[in-house]
Amino acid sequence: MGADHFVVTFTGHAPGSPAYRRLIVGLFFAGIATFAQLYSPQAVLPQLSSDLGISPATAALAVSAATLGLAVAVIPWSMVADRIGRVPAMGIGILTATALGLLAPLSSGLEMLLALRLLEGVALGAVPAVALAYLSEEVSARDAATAAGSYIAGTTVGGLLGRVLSGLVGEPWGWRAGIWTVAGVCAVAAMLFLWLTPKARGFVPGRFRDDARPGMLARLAMPLRSAPQLALYMQGFLLMGAFVAVYNYLGFHLIDAPFALPGWLVTLLFLAYLAGTVSSPTAGALASRFGRYPVLLCSIAVMGLGALALLSEVLIVVILGLLIFTGGFFGAHAVASGWAPIAAAPETRAQASSLYYFGYYAGSSLFGWALGTVFGAADWAWFVAAIAAMCAVSAALAARVLRLSPTGRV
């Protein structure tokens, strides 16, 4: 009784308070520990392809294997977090993933590398499955969009760090050294996450509760019967699939004619991720002020505009297009990922968030590989056309289903 009463009366950490700052900074390091190692192979895919004598699409499986493992694991991790608590679940996942990340570069061949990357992705699923549900329970609903934007900004720093560091180290010393270096940085970030992140006050783990709650299958089924929730999951599926495909294959495009860029310079293009570091909290703040729906739709439009600019044969236009594309994607992702748990019933928030990330990483795994076949079999224009079409379908779904959602206007 006392625990339930405490959960009801806790109204969330106030912005600017020490606990709020520790929460945001702790999840920032969780984002680094998760997303740096998740995407560290992406910057060294050309070297991986050359070293192992495999095609670009096959090399991209080093990314897709991890995102597939993550997609499969997010729902089970939401169950674990409901049982043992949000922060303990994230801690177990991050530490396990970091250990596997340190082993992956020691692989003797492609099969072993893909197996370790798959398991690493399974472990990494703990953070995206739980982090936004944890945020929605620890801050007020009014501050949730802004807090979610700040968290997504941290994930962009992690993704950027993993790609740039592995690329710069991998250029002179090989892809194995690049990936291993990132795993070492992630170990430090994991320790900082465990030290900084405050214990959950807005949620009581299932092992300490005696109240009657729906079973796990019922909690999974409830969001799946909601049209707005399904539309949000499709945002993640389509937009993340398009985003990962661009970053997987743009490097191959730019080292070829007419650009013929050196590998180290292609690696620096991952600095475009900084556009997402800015756009994520900005989109969250705008969503708090003007509503989630209009900000989501505008972000998708920006993403599509950036994709079309990638058709140019002028390098500066391609770079600007990549910046616009990246900023639009992370703005859309910040809004959609934070929207899913807020729009769900309180007892299904972890499941709603994990289902969003299931769609998100399923799209990453599927399109991160499948659009490589388009890239290999057709030309770059067809590849970009596929990316633009995915953005258009995503926007059409949002306009059809999410426009009238009450949580889209707050």
Side-chain angles (χ1 to χ4, degrees):
M1 181 70 179
D4 292 340
H5 177 70
F6 179 75
V7 172
V8 171
T9 56
F10 177 65
T11 58
H13 299 298
S17 67
Y20 183 91
R21 287 194 294 268
R22 287 176 66 90
L23 184 151
I24 295 298
V25 175
L27 287 179
F28 173 86
F29 283 111
I32 289 178
T34 302
F35 294 94
Q37 58 186 312
L38 184 65
Y39 291 113
S40 60
Q42 201 170 48
V44 292
L45 287 180
Q47 292 138 296
L48 183 63
S49 174
S50 175
D51 184 45
L52 299 182
I54 54 180
S55 70
T58 302
L61 290 175
V63 178
S64 290
T67 55
L68 175 63
L70 197 154
V72 169
V74 284
I75 293 173
W77 273 117
S78 75
M79 301 177 186
V80 172
D82 274 356
R83 183 66 184 166
I84 70 173
R86 310 306 198 204
V87 178
M90 288 189 284
I92 291 169
I94 286 178
L95 291 176
T96 303
T98 302
L100 290 166
L102 290 167
L103 291 174
L106 305 177
S107 302
S108 57
L110 180 64
E111 294 78 7
M112 183 177 178
L113 174 64
L114 295 182
L116 286 171
R117 288 285 294 166
L118 179 70
L119 293 174
E120 189 178 351
V122 168
L124 287 173
V127 172
V130 178
L132 287 168
Y134 169 68
L135 266 179
S136 70
E137 294 157 353
E138 300 302 309
V139 301
S140 69
R142 193 166 108 185
D143 300 315
T146 302
S150 298
Y151 161 67
I152 297 300
T155 70
T156 68
V157 174
L160 169 63
L161 178 66
R163 290 165 167 97
V164 171
L165 185 59
S166 68
L168 292 178
V169 173
E171 178 73 12
W173 291 298
W175 63 270
R176 297 176 191 272
I179 294 175
W180 193 86
T181 301
V182 172
V185 171
C186 290
V188 176
M191 295 297 104
L192 289 169
F193 159 74
L194 293 173
W195 176 52
L196 287 167
T197 307
K199 294 180 180 178
R201 293 183 58 193
F203 175 79
V204 177
R207 57 188 172 135
F208 298 128
R209 276 197 311 263
D210 56 7
D211 58 332
R213 288 162 58 90
M216 179 53 62
L217 290 179
R219 295 204 298 276
L220 278 172
M222 287 172 67
L224 291 172
R225 290 196 293 264
S226 165
Q229 287 287 341
L230 292 174
L232 288 169
Y233 305 156
M234 287 302 296
Q235 301 302 306
F237 179 73
L238 292 168
L239 298 180
M240 179 57 166
F243 178 77
V244 166
V246 165
Y247 273 89
N248 274 356
Y249 302 109
L250 181 60
F252 290 98
H253 176 60
L254 293 178
I255 62 176
D256 205 353
F259 302 100
L261 298 182
W264 66 269
L265 187 55
V266 171
T267 293
L268 292 181
L269 291 180
F270 286 112
L271 291 171
Y273 248 62
L274 292 173
T277 307
V278 174
S279 70
S280 298
T282 301
L286 290 173
S288 294
R289 183 176 179 184
F290 298 109
R292 294 179 174 90
Y293 169 72
V295 177
L296 174 63
L297 216 57
C298 288
S299 297
I300 297 171
V302 169
M303 183 179 174
L305 181 65
L308 294 177
L310 299 177
L311 289 169
S312 174
E313 294 187 357
V314 179
L315 182 59
I316 188 63
V317 176
V318 173
I319 293 172
L320 288 173
L322 186 62
L323 286 166
I324 293 168
F325 176 82
T326 303
F329 166 74
F330 278 109
H333 172 46
V335 174
S337 62
W339 194 346
I342 288 297
E347 66 271 20
T348 66
R349 282 175 176 166
Q351 286 68 48
S353 184
S354 66
L355 285 166
Y356 172 85
Y357 276 102
F358 173 79
Y360 183 82
Y361 287 107
S364 173
S365 299
L366 174 62
F367 295 111
W369 166 78
L371 289 181
T373 63
V374 176
F375 175 76
D379 61 17
W380 182 250
W382 280 105
F383 175 86
V384 173
I387 298 296
M390 291 167 71
C391 292
V393 172
S394 182
L397 280 171
R400 174 75 175 142
V401 180
L402 297 173
R403 179 171 57 89
L404 300 178
S405 173
T407 51
R409 297 192 293 271
V410 295

